[in-house]
């Protein structure tokens, strides 16, 4: 009796954990394009996307979310990945959509990938920031995450914050706060622009190109029936506790982010002198200190 009661308890709590945190690509995602070029592997624990001359491939989360912490482990196309782009992004529907982007622009063998990030609010993007990575993203899986709460969108790589898009609605900057978003990932051919400005094309002799995903987790408020349902306790950790709902950068993590930006950021729209000569027209979110 006692043994079976214990087994039952363990099964139930494991299942709760699995609803809250995902981790099974069969359960949590669906292929959206690529006609068999995307494959769930390893009993649901992994997913591989592939790209050949005819098509790339992609998948999306089954659920839509309004706020959450989204994590994915990714291992990018190795070797000569020129012309390929691997993406992980959140997006809502429609013209005035919100979007939070991570795009990994491939390169020829031995040359570095570019991590391209952007934030769209009400259909308007043009907030590009690009980074080098401080490791080879093709040698192993690394964790890419987005914390999206009512006050911040924080991009992190292996837990190190690289970008913080803070809510500046008080200064007239739109913030993604009302439209539920789905998680999307894809691998596609962008050799007209991706690598060294489009000068280097994909080498189709090396196709199919493959990018691998695992460890998808959405600790998130699921949108259903016109409202957002958050995991129990999400909003209760007041005072900047450990939960993602209240997450913002501590002084230490802010300093760490600034250090990464100084060392690894290769493009920042805020400081683009061609776009904003003498700083004219710099968007409000760029002018504000933390
Ligand atoms: C590819 O490598 C070249 C040379 O190191 C570099 O200039 C470029 O930014 C890299 N990334 C892309 C996406 O072109």
């Amino acid at each position: 009796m006692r043994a079976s009661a214990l087994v039952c308890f363990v099964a139930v709590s494991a299942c709760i954990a699995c609803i809250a945190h995902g981790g099974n690509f069969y359960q949590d995602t669906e292929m959206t394009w690529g006609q068999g070029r995307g494959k769930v592997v390893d009993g649901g624990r992994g997913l591989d996307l592939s790209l050949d001359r005819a098509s790339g491939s992609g998948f999306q989360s089954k659920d839509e979310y309004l706020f959450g912490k989204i994590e994915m482990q990714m291992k990018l196309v190795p070797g000569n990945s020129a012309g390929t782009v691997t993406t992980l992004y959140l997006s809502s529907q429609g013209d005035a959509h919100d979007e939070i982007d991570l795009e990994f622009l491939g390169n020829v063998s031995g040359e570095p990938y570019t991590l391209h990030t952007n934030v769209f609010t009400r259909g308007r993007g043009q907030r590009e920031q690009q980074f080098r990575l401080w490791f080879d993203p093709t040698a192993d899986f690394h964790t890419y995450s987005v914390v999206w709460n009512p006050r911040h969108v924080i991009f992190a790589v292996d837990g190190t914050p690289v970008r913080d898009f803070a809510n500046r609605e008080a200064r007239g900057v739109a913030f993604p706060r009302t439209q539920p978003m789905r998680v999307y990932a894809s691998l596609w051919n962008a050799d007209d622009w991706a690598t060294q400005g489009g000068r280097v094309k994909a080498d189709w002799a090396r196709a199919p190109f493959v990018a691998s995903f695992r460890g998808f987790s959405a600790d998130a408020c699921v949108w259903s029936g016109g409202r957002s349902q958050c995991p129990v306790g999400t909003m209760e950790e007041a005072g900047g506790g450990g939960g993602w709902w209240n997450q913002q950068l501590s002084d230490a993590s802010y300093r760490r982010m600034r250090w990464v930006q100084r060392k690894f950021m290769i493009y920042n729209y805020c400081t683009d002198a061609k776009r904003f000569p003498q700083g004219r027209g710099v968007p409000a979110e760029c002018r504000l200190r933390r």
Side-chain angles (χ1 to χ4, degrees), residues 139-155:
D140 215 335
F141 284 92
H142 290 269
T143 303
Y144 304 94
S145 64
V146 172
V147 166
W148 169 36
N149 66 36
R151 291 188 298 161
H152 293 270
V153 174
I154 300 170
F155 298 72

Side-chain angles (χ1 to χ4, degrees), residues 105-108 110-114 132 193-197 199 266:
L105 317 185
N107 217 331
V108 291
E111 297 301 331
Y113 263 81
T114 296
R132 292 267 179 264
W193 61 271
T195 304
Q196 302 177 32
R199 286 189 300 279
I266 55 168

Side-chain angles (χ1 to χ4, degrees), residues 21 27 32 47 49 60 68 78-79 96 124 134 184 187 216 245 256 270 278 284:
H21 297 291
Q27 227 168 275
T32 44
L47 191 154
L49 291 181
Q60 67 182 32
R124 190 189 155 276
W134 48 92
Y184 297 85
L187 172 59
F216 171 43
W245 183 269
R256 204 151 157 234
C270 290
Q278 277 96 47

Side-chain angles (χ1 to χ4, degrees), residues 55-246:
S55 178
S57 50
F59 66 93
Q60 67 182 32
S61 61
K62 287 186 183 165
D63 285 328
E64 290 180 291
Y65 312 101
L66 188 60
F67 303 125
K69 177 173 183 175
I70 306 300
E71 273 186 350
M72 188 79 80
Q73 293 173 31
M74 298 167 64
K75 190 174 165 187
L76 304 178
V77 174
N80 184 356
S81 58
T84 72
V85 173
T86 308
T87 70
L88 173 67
Y89 61 104
L90 288 122
S91 182
S92 66
Q93 307 284 322
D95 289 341
H97 78 297
D98 296 331
E99 188 175 317
I100 300 167
D101 282 335
L102 294 112
E103 301 192 346
F104 300 84
L105 317 185
N107 217 331
V108 291
S109 299
E111 297 301 331
Y113 263 81
T114 296
L115 166 56
H116 173 98
T117 66
N118 206 351
V119 178
F120 285 70
T121 53
R122 299 196 194 133
R124 190 189 155 276
Q126 302 183 326
R127 299 193 177 99
E128 306 87 352
Q129 289 184 351
Q130 296 185 336
F131 304 84
R132 292 267 179 264
L133 296 164
W134 48 92
F135 50 82
D136 175 1
T138 72
D140 215 335
F141 284 92
H142 290 269
T143 303
Y144 304 94
S145 64
V146 172
V147 166
W148 169 36
N149 66 36
R151 291 188 298 161
H152 293 270
V153 174
I154 300 170
F155 298 72
V157 174
D158 287 334
T160 296
V162 299
R163 178 171 189 177
D164 177 14
F165 182 77
N167 186 328
R168 303 294 187 206
E169 286 177 306
R171 306 290 185 101
V173 182
F175 188 82
R177 197 171 48 81
T178 55
Q179 309 191 72
M181 298 202 264
R182 219 179 273 284
V183 176
Y184 297 85
S186 62
L187 172 59
W188 51 288
N189 169 19
D191 71 0
D192 52 335
W193 61 271
T195 304
Q196 302 177 32
R199 286 189 300 279
V200 185
K201 304 297 180 193
D203 177 6
W204 295 113
R206 291 200 62 260
F209 302 103
V210 176
S212 302
F213 298 76
R214 68 180 193 199
F216 171 43
S217 110
D219 187 0
C221 307
V222 174
W223 184 259
S224 140
R227 67 198 188 99
S228 186
Q229 297 183 317
C230 301
V232 174
T234 297
M235 280 163 269
E236 284 161 21
E237 294 168 79
W244 60 263
W245 183 269
N246 292 299

